[in-house]
């Protein structure tokens, strides 16, 4: 992917809240708190921008008039996922960029809220996952 | 020996000793635990057969990756014995399968299998320091890593 493409994406404000889904297969309810979201929840393909993805997918809450419900209408399978509501500022604080990436969203009705978490690496992945777990909805 | 004496001998055959029964129970429990993990793996293999299985454009997990995961889970369980835990198995959107163990210190050891590469990660509990990752030259290298992880 052209690095200029990533630079061209609009930065999400640090005051925003970000929805990030966790697939049920990557959540181990039997693990101690802080270790339930598994490494598998962030794939290595999210580490490096590719022609189809600049990073891990997320959604900006304030851009969704109906909140989480809008996402469930766009893709009902997400109802089975765990969802975290993470402050963008916390993601930025651990070194990630959060940028709008509507062109990468396969669901037109919510593409305007789509964002990418850019800068995930093998090294910082455990910290990102811990942050996501801290903000999981019950 | 008459049929009656055989029946009598069978009826009054001594019960296995408590130690023997404990051993048998342990083996049965071990087999049941392994079977539970294997059933989960088969279900996940079916679930991850197609691209997009994770609702996020995830890559399908290849049958060869699942076969290698099955082989390693069985082999490691056999060599570690019943006293040590079986892994939590989870697929990832990059087409890999993760096997996660926890040791007595509370560290997590995560083996990432495929496609085309394998990684061994050690994650301390929260506040316990930095995670370590190491790319393996082959999946066979994972065996000594897992054994060392359990000391």
């Amino acid at each position: 992917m052209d690095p200029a493409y990533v630079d061209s994406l609009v930065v999400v404000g640090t005051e925003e809240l970000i929805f990030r889904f966790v697939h049920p297969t990557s959540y181990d309810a039997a693990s101690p708190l802080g270790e339930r979201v598994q490494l598998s929840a962030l794939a290595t393909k999210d580490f490096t921008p590719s022609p189809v993805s600049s990073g891990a997918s997320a959604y900006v809450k304030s851009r969704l008039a109906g909140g989480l419900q809008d996402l469930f209408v766009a893709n009902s399978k997400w109802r089975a996922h765990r969802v975290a509501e993470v402050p963008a500022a916390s993601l930025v604080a651990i070194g990630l960029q959060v940028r709008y990436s509507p062109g990468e969203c396969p669901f037109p009705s919510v593409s305007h809220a789509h964002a990418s978490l850019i800068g995930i690496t093998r090294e910082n992945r455990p910290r990102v996952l811990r942050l996501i777990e801290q903000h999981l909805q019950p | 020996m008459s049929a009656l004496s055989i029946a009598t001998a069978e009826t009054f055959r001594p019960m296995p000793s408590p130690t023997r029964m404990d051993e048998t129970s342990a083996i049965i429990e071990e087999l049941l635990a392994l079977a539970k993990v294997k059933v989960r793996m088969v279900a996940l293999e079916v679930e991850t057969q197609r691209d997009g299985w994770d609702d996020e454009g995830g890559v399908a997990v290849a049958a060869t990756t699942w076969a290698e995961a099955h082989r390693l889970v069985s082999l490691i369980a056999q060599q570690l014995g019943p006293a040590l835990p079986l892994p939590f198995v989870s697929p990832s959107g990059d087409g890999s399968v993760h096997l996660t163990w926890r040791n007595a210190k509370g560290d997590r050891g995560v083996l990432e299998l495929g496609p085309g590469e394998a990684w061994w990660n050690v994650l301390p509990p929260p506040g316990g320091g930095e995670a370590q990752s190491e790319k393996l030259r082959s999946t066979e290298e994972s065996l000594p890593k897992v054994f060392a992880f359990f000391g």
Side-chain angles (χ1 to χ4, degrees), chain A residues 35 40 44 77 81 122 125, chain B residues 55 90 92 94 102 112 126:
Chain A
E35 301 179 12
S40 56
T44 52
K77 290 180 180 173
H81 292 221
R122 196 170 283 282
R125 179 170 53 168
Chain B
D55 309 316
S90 59
S92 188
D94 53 15
R102 183 181 306 280
E112 293 179 57

Side-chain angles (χ1 to χ4, degrees), chain A residues 117-132:
Chain A
L117 311 183
I118 301 165
I120 297 170
T121 64
R122 196 170 283 282
E123 287 70 35
N124 68 21
R125 179 170 53 168
R127 286 198 299 278
V128 178
L129 291 170
R130 201 163 292 143
L131 184 63
I132 288 171

Side-chain angles (χ1 to χ4, degrees), chain B residues 89-107:
Chain B
V89 181
S90 59
S92 188
D94 53 15
S96 63
V97 173
H98 292 209
L99 308 179
T100 303
W101 290 267
R102 183 181 306 280
N103 66 16
K105 288 196 303 180
D107 294 338

Side-chain angles (χ1 to χ4, degrees), chain A residues 20-21 23-28 31-45 56-57 75 77-78 81 107 122-123 125-127 130, chain B residues 40 44 47 50 53-59 88-94 98 100 102 106 108 110 112 117 119 121 123-127 130-131 133:
Chain A
R20 166 69 194 182
F21 290 108
H23 195 272
T25 58
S26 287
Y27 185 81
D28 180 12
S31 283
L33 281 173
E35 301 179 12
R36 293 182 177 178
V37 178
Q38 305 295 300
L39 285 190
S40 56
L42 286 173
T44 52
K45 67 184 176 64
S57 284
N75 180 13
K77 290 180 180 173
W78 279 331
H81 292 221
F107 307 103
R122 196 170 283 282
E123 287 70 35
R125 179 170 53 168
R127 286 198 299 278
R130 201 163 292 143
Chain B
R40 174 177 165 83
L44 290 173
E47 186 174 347
R50 57 170 179 81
W53 62 269
D54 61 350
D55 309 316
E56 267 203 76
V59 179
F88 180 81
V89 181
S90 59
S92 188
D94 53 15
H98 292 209
T100 303
R102 183 181 306 280
R108 282 181 293 163
V110 185
E112 293 179 57
E117 60 181 25
W119 287 79
N121 308 273
L123 287 73
E130 288 297 305
S133 292

Side-chain angles (χ1 to χ4, degrees), chain A residues 42-55:
Chain A
L42 286 173
T44 52
K45 67 184 176 64
D46 294 328
F47 293 3
T48 309
S50 75
V52 292
S53 168
S54 55

Side-chain angles (χ1 to χ4, degrees), chain B residues 26-109:
Chain B
I27 291 169
I28 291 170
E29 278 177 27
E30 180 191 357
L31 289 172
L32 285 174
L34 181 59
K36 201 173 166 185
V37 172
K38 292 287 192 164
V39 166
R40 174 177 165 83
M41 291 174 78
V42 170
L44 290 173
E45 183 171 357
V46 172
E47 186 174 347
T48 59
Q49 276 177 340
R50 57 170 179 81
D51 287 339
W53 62 269
D54 61 350
D55 309 316
E56 267 203 76
V59 179
V61 180
T64 50
T65 303
W66 278 115
E68 184 63 355
H70 274 285
R71 187 183 76 83
L72 288 172
V73 166
S74 299
L75 185 63
I76 292 169
Q78 190 180 26
Q79 298 202 7
L80 285 177
L84 294 171
L86 289 162
F88 180 81
V89 181
S90 59
S92 188
D94 53 15
S96 63
V97 173
H98 292 209
L99 308 179
T100 303
W101 290 267
R102 183 181 306 280
N103 66 16
K105 288 196 303 180
D107 294 338
R108 282 181 293 163

